[in-house]
Amino acid sequence: MFKRVLPTALLAIFLFSCHQKPEPDISYAIAPVMVDSTTQLQIRMTLPASPDGTTLLSFPNEAWGQEGLFGTLGKMQLLNVEGALKKDVDSSRIVLMHPKGIKKLEFEYFLKQDFDDGLSTRRIYRPIINNTYFHAFSHNMFMVPQQREGHQNIVLDWSAFPKDYTIHNSFGSQEKVQVLKDMDMDLFGNAIFVGGDFRVSQGNIQGNTISLATRGEWVPFQEEDVFQVLEQTLTCQRNFWNDHSQEYFTVTLQPFPQENGSSFQGTGLTNSFATSISNNDFTDIEQLVYLFNHELMHNWIGHTIKNDNEEEQYWFSEGFTEYYTFKNIATNKINGLTGAFYINEMNRTIRDLYASPVVEAPNADINYDNFWGNRDYSKLPYWRGAVFAFYLDQKIQQISKEKQGLDDVMHQIYTDATTKGQKLEHDYFIGVMNGYWEGDFESFFRKHIIEGQKIDLGGFFDGLGLDYEPMSDIYELGFEFDGDRKKIERVVEGSKAWEAGLREGDEVYSRSIWQGSIEHQVELGLKRNGEKFQVAYYPIRKAEVPQLKPTASNIKKLGF
């Protein structure tokens, strides 16, 4: 059921009444202030002082692909004692120096938006603070004592904000004073905080609160339809995992302007996930269906089932999440999507993987720098892992004569994670799969995940009796930009870009590129020898990449 929430409290799992309020270990009082005619957040922090006179606060200068986050910090000062402070950029710490023997410190710092060139996908993961709203993640909003680990009692005081100013975050909604009792500091450091003109809509699943917080006037869809997709997605996923334990969950939906094409992204967090999406006619609700299903699945894959080594197991946490996104949508007919959707999404994923210039890069190359700094590597574990999961699912069903599938593997891994604290690492995964496999699974795993070799999908489809096309169009942009993306640096001779007339050295004054899409034309405004001209072409080339036919027979054989 969808309903608009009035300014009343949403009770979260971590919130307690005044009668139960514990003595806080750490407290934050947050207030909106004007500094040099710009809105900033003033954050006054009370925390234990280190006995040796040096208290260290963690505040990452680099996180989630963002650099220079220290640039979002304004004035800082100790309030209750004389002392000094410094920014240690290399270690991502704020160092507070004060007299020894002090038990408590009162420390004030200001947080500001450090860009003024408009909101975009590149800016979403930085603090957004203006006179209308704020949007920030805990790691780039709240400093935390480096010496304080494990569980702490935390108080967040928002009472300085206007009465009609929405306060909403991963731990509750419309609470002007929040008490987070026995808070896991890792969970606190992985949260979303928004405020201002956000609208909050609320519902429940088996008595557990769910909510959607969004703002702005949406062009491509109605808020009520978005909430319905959220409710249906959460219900189906919780049923799949047989897990209705989460008493509070929220989604934030942030619009940003984009003239051409569509972009969207999301981040799974504590009790929540934060999404941002382009607000234009190129965006549609089916993109949100995908985004919600992918990010919500991270509540279990990637959060409950944790990677032992984050990037090393992205093939699982991102790739298997991607696969179960398609499968969950089709199995439960979310927004009317069925088995044909599943086949189309798997076909697209196969095309994207085979078209990738790093398609056979070893798993070791998917490291932090490559994943966050190179689009080819950032997408590789999604595509490789999803195709691998698809293969395992169908193969296990074939081996067991439809009595088992990848779902059984996932449930076993989930049980081990929740009862034994087992993390997802390679030897463990191989051991689980040995119970469902015929032959040498370790060698298969090493070949296709560790070494990154492609799976023979054509032979696999033949073995399953699936109808497919052996050749298909795959994405090829056909040229490369120079460093500032204002000129054509190289054109692939014989490509569609070459046939359309692109040449090395052409200046680019406008562009519309649907990255990875073969359904949309690349449109470029170019200048050569002082003359302007335009080109448009489909960025495709023929390749031996098998594609399943979305026939009724295939849909039935695949279990839909």
Side-chain angles (χ1 to χ4, degrees), residues 24-230:
D25 298 304
I26 310 165
S27 64
Y28 302 88
I30 308 99
V33 294
M34 295 295 293
V35 179
D36 298 328
S37 301
T38 62
T39 302
Q40 297 186 14
L41 294 181
Q42 175 195 55
I43 301 176
R44 290 188 173 179
M45 184 178 178
T46 302
L47 67 152
S50 178
D52 64 5
T54 301
T55 298
L56 305 177
L57 300 179
S58 294
F59 189 85
N61 187 51
E62 296 183 13
W64 296 8
Q66 300 295 305
E67 299 178 349
L69 289 171
F70 271 24
T72 66
L73 294 173
K75 178 183 176 183
M76 300 186 294
Q77 61 179 336
L78 286 163
L79 300 177
N80 66 325
V81 295
E82 294 291 331
L85 57 88
K86 69 175 183 178
K87 299 178 181 178
D88 189 343
V89 176
D90 292 337
S91 65
S92 291
R93 298 185 303 194
I94 304 299
V95 181
L96 306 181
M97 293 163 283
H98 51 82
K100 296 179 180 180
I102 299 296
K103 292 188 175 181
K104 291 280 185 181
L105 290 179
E106 294 178 14
F107 172 63
E108 176 185 81
Y109 63 97
F110 290 76
L111 193 68
K112 61 185 178 180
Q113 180 175 309
D114 67 342
F115 61 91
D116 56 11
D117 55 350
L119 191 59
S120 67
T121 53
R122 295 186 299 112
R123 303 300 192 186
I124 288 297
Y125 293 119
R126 305 186 79 84
I128 301 165
I129 303 167
N130 54 51
N131 60 4
T132 305
Y133 74 98
F134 71 84
H135 178 287
F137 298 93
S138 48
H139 71 268
N140 59 30
M141 182 173 182
F142 292 111
M143 298 185 189
V144 295
Q146 187 166 305
Q147 299 94 332
R148 310 294 288 189
E149 299 177 351
H151 294 247
Q152 304 291 318
N153 294 324
I154 299 174
V155 171
L156 303 173
D157 186 344
W158 308 92
S159 57
F161 285 84
K163 186 176 181 180
D164 60 350
Y165 193 99
T166 296
I167 296 295
H168 187 86
N169 52 59
S170 297
F171 307 108
S173 185
Q174 310 292 21
E175 288 285 337
K176 290 304 173 76
V177 177
Q178 293 180 283
V179 180
L180 313 185
K181 186 179 179 182
D182 197 31
M183 183 75 232
D184 184 312
M185 294 303 289
D186 287 338
L187 297 181
F188 179 70
N190 198 38
I192 179 69
F193 294 85
V194 301
D197 63 353
F198 278 83
R199 302 178 298 275
V200 180
S201 306
Q202 178 190 352
N204 72 80
I205 301 172
Q206 294 195 14
N208 296 325
T209 298
I210 64 169
S211 61
L212 173 71
T214 188
R215 59 176 304 278
E217 297 299 320
W218 285 96
V219 172
F221 37 65
Q222 297 295 316
E223 213 165 298
E224 291 82 358
D225 295 334
V226 175
F227 190 87
Q228 185 176 20
V229 169
L230 170 63

Side-chain angles (χ1 to χ4, degrees), residues 2-23:
F2 173 93
K3 63 179 179 179
R4 179 62 49 76
V5 175
L6 297 174
T8 57
L10 293 179
L11 192 60
I13 186 172
F14 300 106
L15 303 186
F16 292 77
S17 72
C18 295
H19 299 294
Q20 296 172 297
K21 183 185 292 187
E23 179 67 24

Side-chain angles (χ1 to χ4, degrees), residues 325-519:
T325 294
F326 309 149
K327 188 173 181 179
N328 186 64
I329 292 170
T331 299
N332 297 287
K333 298 180 174 57
I334 296 175
N335 204 48
L337 299 171
T338 60
F341 164 83
Y342 171 87
I343 288 177
N344 289 336
E345 288 303 298
M346 286 311 309
N347 281 339
R348 178 188 56 77
T349 303
I350 292 166
R351 291 197 309 269
D352 288 341
L353 176 62
Y354 279 59
S356 171
V358 295
V359 56
E360 293 194 298
N363 192 61
D365 285 358
I366 306 172
N367 53 42
Y368 179 89
D369 290 337
N370 280 341
F371 183 80
W372 289 104
N374 184 306
R375 183 185 184 276
D376 294 326
Y377 282 102
S378 70
K379 301 304 294 185
L380 182 59
Y382 289 76
W383 300 333
R384 178 182 289 170
V387 171
F388 191 68
F390 167 74
Y391 185 97
L392 298 189
D393 199 5
Q394 298 305 317
K395 194 66 175 178
I396 293 170
Q397 292 181 52
Q398 184 185 47
I399 291 169
S400 68
K401 295 181 171 47
E402 313 300 325
K403 294 178 181 178
Q404 293 177 314
L406 188 62
D407 293 1
D408 298 282
V409 175
M410 300 303 289
H411 290 146
Q412 182 176 336
I413 293 172
Y414 173 72
T415 299
D416 289 346
T418 53
T419 61
K420 303 175 184 178
Q422 176 67 52
K423 291 186 176 181
L424 197 289
E425 50 91 17
H426 292 172
D427 287 343
Y428 165 75
F429 183 78
I430 291 168
V432 172
M433 279 299 305
N434 281 334
Y436 299 86
W437 202 255
E438 289 181 348
D440 184 4
F441 181 77
E442 182 175 359
S443 295
F444 182 82
F445 177 85
R446 180 164 298 280
K447 180 178 180 180
H448 297 296
I449 293 296
I450 303 300
E451 298 174 7
Q453 295 183 42
K454 291 183 289 188
I455 294 173
D456 176 15
L457 290 177
F460 181 56
F461 294 161
D462 285 334
L464 294 175
L466 295 169
D467 295 325
Y468 68 96
E469 295 287 351
M471 300 286 292
S472 65
D473 290 330
I474 64 172
Y475 182 82
E476 182 184 62
L477 184 58
F479 72 89
E480 294 178 4
F481 287 109
D482 65 358
D484 59 8
R485 300 176 69 82
K486 293 182 179 179
K487 282 188 176 182
I488 303 299
E489 185 170 79
R490 187 179 74 88
V491 183
V492 177
E493 192 168 346
S495 68
K496 295 297 182 182
W498 177 273
E499 292 176 0
L502 257 69
R503 293 297 182 266
E504 179 182 335
D506 288 346
E507 298 177 47
V508 182
Y509 67 84
S510 69
R511 61 180 181 265
S512 175
I513 301 172
W514 295 67
Q515 190 69 40
S517 173
I518 63 173
E519 289 86 14

